[in-house]
Amino acid sequence: MKIGLRTVKTAVGATLAILIAEWLGLEYAVSAGLITVLSIQNTKKGSIQLAVQRVYSTVIALTISAIFFLLLGFNAIAFGLYLLVFIPIAVRLKVTDGIVVSSVLVTHILVEQSLSLFWFTNEMLLMAVGAGIGILLNLYMPKMDIEMKQQRQKIESIMRQIFFCFAQDLKREPVYLDEKKLIKQLSAYLTEANEQSRRHFDNQLFADSRYYIKYIDMRTVQLRVIKQMSLSIQSVSILTNHATKMAELVEKTALSLSEQNPAENLIEDVNQILTDFRQSELPKTREEFEGRALLFQFLNDLRYLLELKRDFTQQFKEDKELLKINAN
């Protein structure tokens, strides 16, 4: 049986919350532990946002319940009417995560049948202790930098293999790798990396970690371009005399593909081949025309793919912190 970090944090946090609530002399101290259990999240920002929501919802819940208890007395009907009013308000204010916890605290008022300041203070302190312990424990999150770097290297490795497949297709050589399978693997890795980068972003309270998200977004758009390139090259029945130069360029792209490469030289190479295309003799048959059109589209897609990388590099080249991350 494997015990995860979140499980450990939950157990330790609930224990600490109850002990602190008892030390403060709060009634229903166990509720502080329950609030902590519900406050442990996967990210720092998620924990803080949830705590703010619950404190806000508790203030609203105690206010609404006090009105109904004052008018109708401490009974089930008053509690039901409180829920009837409170839940729509919580939904409207987007604090639905606080509905259950706030209502549990309201039941303490109902059981004690008192609207004294003591009980309102008691409930707010229970919330503060429970949510506060949850936030403190969530301030520790294991670093993901090494794992994300390995993920990016794997993504680039698969992209290189796909480009080598393209080059072999252009040279009409046997392709020993399954191009479609590689594209599916790339899609799966990008989906996983996207979740990972956004989780990392939510764990950074002050540092700017947009680079990871933008990098994965860029590679995701490139994946869509790669799928189109694959369709184009598979549809070619007759290769023109430009195919050899294109294959060399695609191999060069594969070999130089990396996170740090701005791709400007590769874009110039693509433009040169496109110029040669335009200046070459017109196709004589329908098959030659269709093949040339597909190769022309393949080159345009390759240029767009490289331009995405160039624009991404330019966007972040002046950010010292991001450059420092790239250098590691």
Side-chain angles (χ1 to χ4, degrees):
M1 181 178 64
K2 184 179 179 180
I3 300 178
L5 178 62
R6 183 172 177 175
T7 302
V8 174
K9 284 201 247 184
T10 300
V12 173
T15 303
L16 285 174
I18 293 172
L19 292 174
I20 292 173
E22 290 177 343
W23 179 73
L24 292 174
L26 301 179
E27 299 293 334
Y28 300 99
V30 175
S31 295
L34 175 62
I35 293 171
T36 297
V37 171
L38 298 174
S39 297
I40 299 294
Q41 300 293 303
N42 290 322
T43 65
K44 296 176 184 178
K45 289 181 181 178
S47 182
I48 293 173
Q49 290 170 355
L50 186 61
V52 171
Q53 280 189 30
R54 285 179 173 162
V55 170
Y56 186 29
S57 66
T58 299
V59 173
I60 297 172
L62 291 175
T63 302
I64 294 174
S65 64
I67 294 173
F68 282 106
F69 290 151
L70 186 63
L71 295 175
L72 303 176
F74 298 94
N75 52 60
I77 294 176
F79 184 72
L81 290 174
Y82 143 75
L83 291 174
L84 196 63
V85 174
F86 172 61
I87 293 176
I89 291 176
V91 172
R92 183 69 178 272
L93 297 177
K94 298 180 180 180
V95 291
T96 52
D97 285 325
I99 291 175
V100 174
V101 174
S102 299
S103 296
V104 169
L105 297 179
V106 167
T107 60
H108 298 167
I109 304 291
L110 176 61
V111 170
E112 297 300 329
Q113 298 190 4
S114 172
L115 295 175
S116 66
L117 180 62
F118 170 82
W119 286 109
F120 283 96
T121 303
N122 186 84
E123 306 314 309
M124 290 304 302
L125 286 175
L126 287 175
M127 175 60 73
V129 170
I133 293 297
I135 291 174
L136 287 175
L137 289 175
N138 260 15
L139 288 178
Y140 170 74
M141 288 288 179
K143 291 186 176 182
M144 304 170 63
D145 298 71
I146 295 177
E147 185 179 349
M148 287 190 295
K149 184 176 181 180
Q150 292 173 344
Q151 188 78 279
R152 294 197 300 275
Q153 290 173 343
K154 183 63 177 178
I155 289 169
E156 291 171 3
S157 174
I158 296 175
M159 291 181 69
R160 289 189 197 97
Q161 294 178 63
I162 293 172
F163 278 110
F164 281 127
C165 287
F166 288 163
Q168 290 175 314
D169 284 333
L170 288 167
K171 291 186 290 186
R172 285 295 188 257
E173 294 179 352
V175 179
Y176 299 103
L177 297 174
D178 190 335
E179 186 179 305
K180 292 182 179 179
K181 184 177 180 180
L182 287 172
I183 290 175
K184 287 182 179 179
Q185 286 179 352
L186 179 58
S187 178
Y189 271 107
L190 284 170
T191 299
E192 182 181 345
N194 180 58
E195 295 174 355
Q196 193 178 63
S197 64
R198 295 184 187 281
R199 190 163 63 248
H200 174 76
F201 177 79
D202 285 339
N203 277 327
Q204 305 302 309
L205 297 180
F206 304 108
D208 187 350
S209 57
R210 291 174 299 163
Y211 175 84
Y212 299 104
I213 293 177
K214 294 295 183 182
Y215 173 83
I216 298 302
D217 287 345
M218 180 268 296
R219 291 300 189 200
T220 301
V221 177
Q222 286 186 323
L223 171 62
R224 292 199 290 268
V225 179
I226 286 173
K227 289 179 179 178
Q228 183 58 47
M229 293 170 69
S230 178
L231 291 174
S232 295
I233 205 167
Q234 289 172 11
S235 302
V236 177
S237 57
I238 296 180
L239 293 176
T240 69
N241 56 353
H242 298 284
T244 301
K245 288 184 179 180
M246 290 175 60
E248 292 174 355
L249 175 58
V250 172
E251 286 180 343
K252 183 179 178 181
T253 301
L255 291 171
S256 60
L257 193 150
S258 72
E259 186 177 347
Q260 288 77 27
N261 186 3
E264 292 177 349
N265 293 334
L266 293 171
I267 293 173
E268 291 179 4
D269 292 339
V270 174
N271 287 332
Q272 182 59 52
I273 296 180
L274 285 170
T275 300
D276 293 342
F277 250 95
R278 296 186 182 98
Q279 294 175 350
S280 62
E281 184 181 354
L282 293 174
K284 296 178 180 179
T285 66
R286 180 184 179 87
E287 286 186 334
E288 288 179 356
F289 178 82
E290 290 177 348
R292 182 166 170 173
L294 287 167
L295 291 176
F296 192 80
Q297 180 61 48
F298 179 89
L299 278 174
N300 278 310
D301 287 336
L302 177 59
R303 180 172 63 180
Y304 177 53
L305 181 144
L306 295 171
E307 287 173 344
L308 287 168
K309 183 60 173 66
R310 178 199 62 191
D311 295 344
F312 168 80
T313 303
Q314 290 176 349
Q315 180 182 0
F316 288 100
K317 68 179 180 179
E318 295 180 356
D319 193 312
K320 295 181 180 179
E321 181 62 26
L322 297 178
L323 287 176
K324 182 179 179 182
I325 292 173
N326 286 343
N328 291 335

